């Protein structure tokens, strides 16, 4: 870094971030003389990648170190829970690099800091967080957007950071105020795609900023809904119990293939054990034959209301 290098400062995922690469998706802050929790740097990683990787590897994972290479784009290094290094294969830093910095890189950072990254969206309902997890394409962001259309708020989209209070209550940390929505979802919500930026190499998926409906404060995680597509005609909801809860949490941990090589399997199991003692986990099946996001919202709200009534 030279004296002329411009440094951008942000806050996201509960941390302050200083970056040599602009990350316009994130809320800007003034660091003044404080050191950032996480730094994003430009550097040449070619030699280190050659040293650590084999010919066919796309990822190198060790304790407190993750490296990966995106062909024709960049090499990324994440280490010690506080540093992201980017080595572009071309001289351009574009939104494609940002996609990986805010996704895979931040997922690795959170793991290194012993913060559980779930893959999904988190919404705020009556002062508590509820996570919607699922495979890619399950409709997580679309369902979260349906909640927003009814006046609820967003905490995270794609990567959900989960930590714990002093009383071991799971807490969702807000990520940053943006969603990623497919063209079909925009159309269902009456949103004009011309107003939003395309996400790189996903021709019909758009970055949607969330301004007035983003929660800036951590909230207790009260429930998890695993969203599944089904060819059946009806929506169905079942509670996930016993050891299946651990499998669900592992399956929907963001970049879970990092865990074993990073020596984090015991930590993940212990973290999951603390979580299942404090919240309910459900499997929610949605038909692929029709748009059901608004119906799913009603099912989730009814489930939450009934659970609260039973507790009282």
């Amino acid at each position: 870094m030279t004296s002329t290098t411009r440094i951008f400062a942000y806050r996201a995922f509960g941390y302050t971030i200083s970056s040599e690469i602009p990350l316009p998706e994130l809320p800007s802050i003034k660091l003044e003389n404080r050191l950032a929790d996480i730094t994003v740097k430009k550097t040449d990683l070619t030699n280190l990648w050659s040293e650590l990787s084999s010919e066919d590897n796309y990822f190198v994972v060790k304790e407190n170190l993750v490296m990966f290479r995106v062909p024709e784009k960049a090499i990324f290094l994440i280490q010690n829970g506080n540093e992201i290094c980017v080595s572009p294969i071309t001289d351009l830093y574009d939104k494609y690099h940002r996609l990986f910095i805010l996704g895979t890189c931040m997922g690795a950072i959170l793991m290194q800091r012993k913060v559980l990254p779930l893959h999904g969206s988190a919404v705020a309902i009556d002062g508590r967080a509820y996570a919607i997890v699922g495979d890619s394409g399950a409709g997580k962001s679309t369902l979260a957007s349906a909640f927003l259309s009814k006046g609820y708020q967003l905490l995270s989209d794609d990567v959900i950071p989960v930590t714990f209070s002093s009383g071991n209550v799971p807490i969702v940390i807000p990520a940053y105020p943006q969603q990623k929505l497919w063209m079909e979802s925009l159309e269902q919500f009456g949103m004009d795609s011309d107003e939003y930026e395309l996400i790189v190499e996903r021709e019909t998926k758009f970055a949607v900023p969330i301004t007035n409906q983003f929660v800036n404060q951590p909230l207790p995680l009260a429930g998890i809904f695993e969203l599944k597509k089904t060819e059946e005609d009806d929506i169905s909801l079942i509670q996930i119990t016993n050891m299946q809860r651990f499998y669900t949490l592992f399956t929907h941990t963001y970049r879970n293939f990092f865990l074993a090589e990073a020596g984090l399997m015991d930590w993940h199991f212990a973290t999951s054990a603390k979580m299942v003692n404090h919240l309910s986990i459900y499997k929610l099946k949605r038909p692929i034959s029709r748009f059901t996001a608004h119906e799913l919202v009603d099912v989730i709200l009814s489930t939450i209301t009934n659970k609260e009534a039973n507790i009282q």
Side-chain angles (χ1 to χ4, degrees):
M1 184 178 70
T2 67
S3 59
T4 59
T5 301
R6 181 178 178 185
I7 302 297
F8 303 87
Y10 307 99
R11 185 169 184 86
F13 300 94
Y15 299 106
T16 56
I17 301 168
S18 67
S19 177
E20 296 179 15
I21 300 171
L23 303 171
E25 300 87 346
L26 305 186
S28 297
I29 61 169
K30 290 185 178 180
L31 275 177
E32 297 175 345
N33 295 322
R34 294 177 296 154
L35 293 176
D37 300 313
I38 300 165
T39 59
V40 181
K41 301 177 180 179
K42 308 172 186 178
T43 190
D44 186 354
L45 298 170
T46 308
N47 291 336
L48 182 60
W49 176 256
S50 298
E51 177 186 335
L52 295 180
S53 70
S54 61
E55 184 176 348
D56 298 328
N57 275 6
Y58 287 103
F59 288 89
V60 173
V61 182
K62 301 177 181 294
E63 185 176 0
N64 290 321
L65 181 147
V66 172
M67 287 192 78
F68 65 96
R69 180 179 181 272
V70 182
E72 300 180 3
K73 289 295 181 181
I75 302 168
F76 297 85
L77 166 68
I78 309 97
Q79 59 185 352
N80 301 320
N82 61 15
E83 186 175 61
I84 297 171
C85 298
V86 185
S87 177
I89 293 172
T90 66
D91 291 334
L92 298 177
Y93 290 88
D94 59 19
K95 56 187 177 182
Y96 196 90
H97 296 106
R98 294 174 358 228
L99 187 67
F100 284 96
I101 291 170
L102 299 178
T104 300
C105 293
M106 282 306 308
I109 285 281
L110 293 172
M111 285 185 187
Q112 290 171 356
R113 286 179 167 267
K114 303 297 194 298
V115 175
L116 179 67
L118 291 177
H119 183 202
S121 297
V123 294
I125 302 172
D126 297 332
R128 285 174 287 188
Y130 291 85
I132 304 161
V133 301
D135 298 333
S136 295
K140 304 179 294 295
S141 296
T142 301
L143 179 50
S145 194
F147 272 101
L148 297 187
S149 73
K150 294 182 182 293
Y152 295 95
Q153 294 176 296
L154 182 77
L155 286 97
S156 183
D157 184 74
D158 197 30
V159 182
I160 306 172
V162 181
T163 184
F164 292 88
S165 70
S166 58
N168 281 334
V169 174
I171 303 292
V172 171
I173 306 297
Y176 62 98
Q178 179 183 279
Q179 279 193 299
K180 302 179 183 73
L181 291 176
W182 294 101
M183 172 74 82
E184 296 87 340
S185 298
L186 292 179
E187 292 173 349
Q188 289 289 344
F189 295 117
M191 301 163 71
D192 186 353
S193 62
D194 290 339
E195 297 181 8
Y196 305 107
E197 183 179 27
L198 275 169
I199 294 174
V200 181
E201 293 191 2
R202 301 183 184 184
E203 295 182 356
T204 61
K205 201 168 191 181
F206 296 82
V208 179
I210 305 298
T211 52
N212 298 324
Q213 288 181 271
F214 184 73
V215 178
N216 290 309
Q217 299 299 319
L219 292 178
L221 178 62
I224 296 175
F225 292 84
E226 180 189 32
L227 191 59
K228 289 278 190 179
K229 295 187 291 186
T230 178
E231 295 183 358
E232 300 170 3
D233 293 330
D234 297 322
I235 293 170
S236 65
L237 178 81
I238 60 170
Q239 187 165 356
I240 299 173
T241 58
N242 302 324
M243 291 302 294
Q244 187 66 26
R245 296 174 297 175
F246 290 83
Y247 176 77
T248 300
L249 288 173
F250 178 80
T251 299
H252 300 297
T253 294
Y254 193 85
R255 303 295 185 258
N256 60 17
F257 61 92
F258 289 170
L259 292 168
E261 294 298 322
L264 293 173
M265 290 297 290
D266 289 344
W267 163 78
H268 189 276
F269 184 82
T271 298
S272 299
K274 287 195 293 185
M275 288 179 66
V276 300
N277 288 330
H278 286 275
L279 51 83
S280 297
I281 304 176
Y282 303 89
K283 186 187 300 291
L284 179 60
K285 293 184 179 180
R286 69 166 182 91
I288 59 174
S289 58
R290 67 183 193 278
F291 185 78
T292 57
H294 297 298
E295 296 174 65
L296 295 172
V297 168
D298 292 338
V299 170
I300 290 175
L301 292 176
S302 177
T303 301
I304 293 170
T305 300
N306 290 338
K307 184 176 186 299
E308 290 177 348
N310 291 333
I311 291 174
Q312 292 174 359

